[in-house]
Amino acid sequence: MNRIFLGIVLIAFGAAAWRQAGHVATEGAKSPMEELSAAMIASAGGAVELAIGLVGVMTLFLGLMKVAEAGGMLVIIARLIRPLMTRLFPDVPADHPAMGAMILNMSANALGLGNAATPFGIRAMQELDKLNARPGTATNAMALFLAINTSGITLLPTGVIAIRAAAGSADPAAILPTTLFATVCSTIAAIVAAKLYQRFAPVGPADPAAAAIDRPWVREGSGTGVEAADRGYPLWVSMLALGAIVAMIPATIVWGRAVSPWILPGLMVGFLLFGALRRVAVYEVFVDGAKEGFQVALRIIPYLVAILVAVGMFRASGALDAMVSVLGGLTSRFGLPAEALPMALLRPLSGSGAYGVMASIIQDPATGPDSYVGYLVTTLQGSTETTFYVLAVYFGAVQVRRMRHALAAALTADVVAVIAAVAICSWLFG
């Protein structure tokens, strides 16, 4: 990450310096270097605002997570999906709370609940870090989890569907099958890449400085829920649970728009009722878990500032525009028009930037949401996560500085998602 961060900043500075050399001063217009400076300040402020904005969401869902954990929900979920998860994550005990937390994170992402997915994912990273013998260094399980997280299968891209409807689409949910296809392909690629790349990214020697990192989430206890480990549920129960998940795919396509408004309220009621039925003091436990939200938000601010300032500089310097002008003619031959290329390039870097590109394209009367380009950019928006944001937040929450092969696996999944989105959109709408 050190090289990536430095490389983005140097490229941005070089591009802005090149433009500055040929700049002709105009009254009222900023010079390239002034634009770069303004972008740095705005991005730093935006990163802090983003972290503060996460406090409420973190507090809510980490509180619910604590109720679920106290009631044993994470262990139950982990046992249900045990056959699949134990093969994907052989280094994690089958009934460890990390298993349930990862599944909740993946489920929230699949339903388009990014706000809920982040707290679940942070809890999963904290549980995985309890198994980490090398503080500050990503384990194989962490790298695989983040690769799957950035590419996770999306059953219901609720936010993008709403944006398409607001833009006047005749069929806002038409991207359900395209998004599902792209994310299935990218998730398979993420798993294969993470398993392959880990062979070339050894853990390495212990870092003495990292050993001194304060890890309060580890002091909370390293065995929460593991004491319940046993043989788990019978195979037929696990297969039934996996079958129910598979059955959600066509159900989501058919009834997704009707169900989506019920998901968040249903999650809260379901978690609290589950805790109450398991004789958990839901209010006290919720408040206890919610206290972590503020602490986590503060912990990730430096990581967010670093990556968002670098990305903001990259956009403001003109380097992104230069890349589009060079690559646009080539990618258009393969079904990725120059209009959609900024979306593909920005999606791993900046969620807000990608959102802005998508919104401007589908709201343009010359393009609209129901053209090929409109379908493609909205599929891309729903198909991948903001990779650098996810890495900064999740690794920052557990203070992992050496991410090993996690970034390479996640970017591989991003590339496959773009290729798959182009392929399915060309076939259905091209």
Side-chain angles (χ1 to χ4, degrees):
M1 195 64 184
N2 292 324
R3 296 187 183 94
I4 299 283
F5 174 69
L6 180 60
I8 292 175
V9 171
L10 291 179
I11 291 172
F13 180 81
W18 177 265
R19 291 175 58 213
Q20 181 75 25
H23 175 70
V24 177
T26 305
E27 185 177 355
K30 293 182 178 180
S31 69
M33 277 299 174
E34 289 174 331
E35 292 176 354
L36 189 66
S37 301
M40 292 172 63
I41 302 301
S43 298
V48 176
E49 291 175 5
L50 177 60
I52 293 175
L54 285 173
V55 170
V57 176
M58 292 281 190
T59 300
L60 171 62
F61 284 103
L62 286 179
L64 292 176
M65 191 74 163
K66 197 73 172 183
V67 173
E69 185 177 339
M73 179 185 287
L74 302 188
V75 175
I76 292 173
I77 294 174
R79 289 176 182 170
L80 284 174
I81 317 297
R82 177 174 177 154
L84 175 62
M85 296 298 285
T86 52
R87 286 165 175 77
L88 285 178
F89 299 93
D91 299 332
V92 181
D95 289 313
H96 195 276
M99 288 290 199
M102 286 190 289
I103 293 168
L104 286 175
N105 168 267
M106 296 173 192
S107 301
N109 274 327
L111 296 174
L113 304 176
N115 288 339
T118 299
F120 293 157
I122 287 175
R123 170 58 68 184
M125 290 294 285
Q126 290 174 337
E127 294 295 339
L128 289 173
D129 201 44
K130 293 176 182 179
L131 303 170
N132 190 358
R134 300 285 174 83
T137 298
T139 63
N140 290 338
M142 287 179 175
L144 176 58
F145 170 60
L146 286 188
I148 293 176
N149 188 278
T150 60
S151 65
I153 294 174
T154 302
L155 300 176
L156 191 60
T158 49
V160 182
I161 290 174
I163 295 167
R164 286 179 53 82
S169 172
D171 186 6
I175 62 164
L176 281 172
T178 59
T179 302
L180 180 60
F181 176 82
T183 52
V184 167
C185 292
S186 63
T187 300
I188 293 172
I191 294 170
V192 172
K195 294 290 186 181
L196 177 63
Y197 297 164
Q198 72 184 35
R199 302 178 182 179
F200 307 101
V203 175
D207 182 358
I213 293 175
D214 183 31
R215 301 157 76 199
W217 54 90
V218 175
R219 292 198 303 270
E220 293 172 2
S222 58
T224 307
V226 184
E227 65 275 5
D230 54 23
R231 295 182 180 179
Y233 296 116
L235 180 60
W236 69 268
V237 176
S238 296
M239 296 306 295
L240 189 63
L242 289 172
I245 293 174
V246 173
M248 287 178 61
I249 296 175
T252 299
I253 295 175
V254 176
W255 296 300
R257 293 183 65 191
V259 170
S260 60
W262 293 75
I263 295 175
L264 280 178
L267 273 178
M268 184 163 186
V269 171
F271 276 39
L272 294 180
L273 281 179
F274 176 85
L277 292 174
R278 303 279 288 193
R279 300 184 183 279
V280 173
V282 292
Y283 178 77
E284 288 83 359
V285 173
F286 178 90
V287 171
D288 184 47
K291 292 177 183 177
E292 300 177 24
F294 185 73
Q295 298 168 356
V296 171
L298 288 180
R299 195 180 302 136
I300 65 178
I301 286 177
Y303 298 87
L304 282 179
V305 169
I307 194 62
L308 293 185
V309 166
V311 171
M313 292 176 66
F314 186 74
R315 293 181 61 195
S317 68
L320 178 64
D321 294 335
M323 288 182 65
V324 170
S325 64
V326 171
L327 298 176
L330 176 63
T331 60
S332 61
R333 301 177 186 176
F334 300 96
L336 181 59
E339 309 96 283
L341 183 57
M343 177 76 196
L345 294 174
L346 271 178
R347 192 68 183 98
L349 295 171
S350 170
S352 59
Y355 176 88
V357 171
M358 178 198 67
S360 65
I361 289 175
I362 65 175
Q363 290 172 3
D364 184 350
T367 306
D370 295 331
S371 64
Y372 169 73
V373 173
Y375 283 119
L376 178 58
V377 295
T378 48
T379 297
L380 289 172
Q381 179 70 19
S383 296
T384 58
E385 262 289 357
T386 310
T387 298
F388 286 87
Y389 167 82
V390 170
L391 294 178
V393 169
Y394 286 21
F395 279 142
V398 291
Q399 299 188 49
V400 166
R401 300 169 183 173
R402 185 167 174 259
M403 64 180 65
R404 298 174 60 219
H405 57 291
L407 178 60
L411 290 179
T412 298
D414 289 339
V415 172
V416 171
V418 172
I419 295 172
V422 169
I424 190 65
C425 289
S426 296
W427 184 45
L428 293 178
F429 309 117

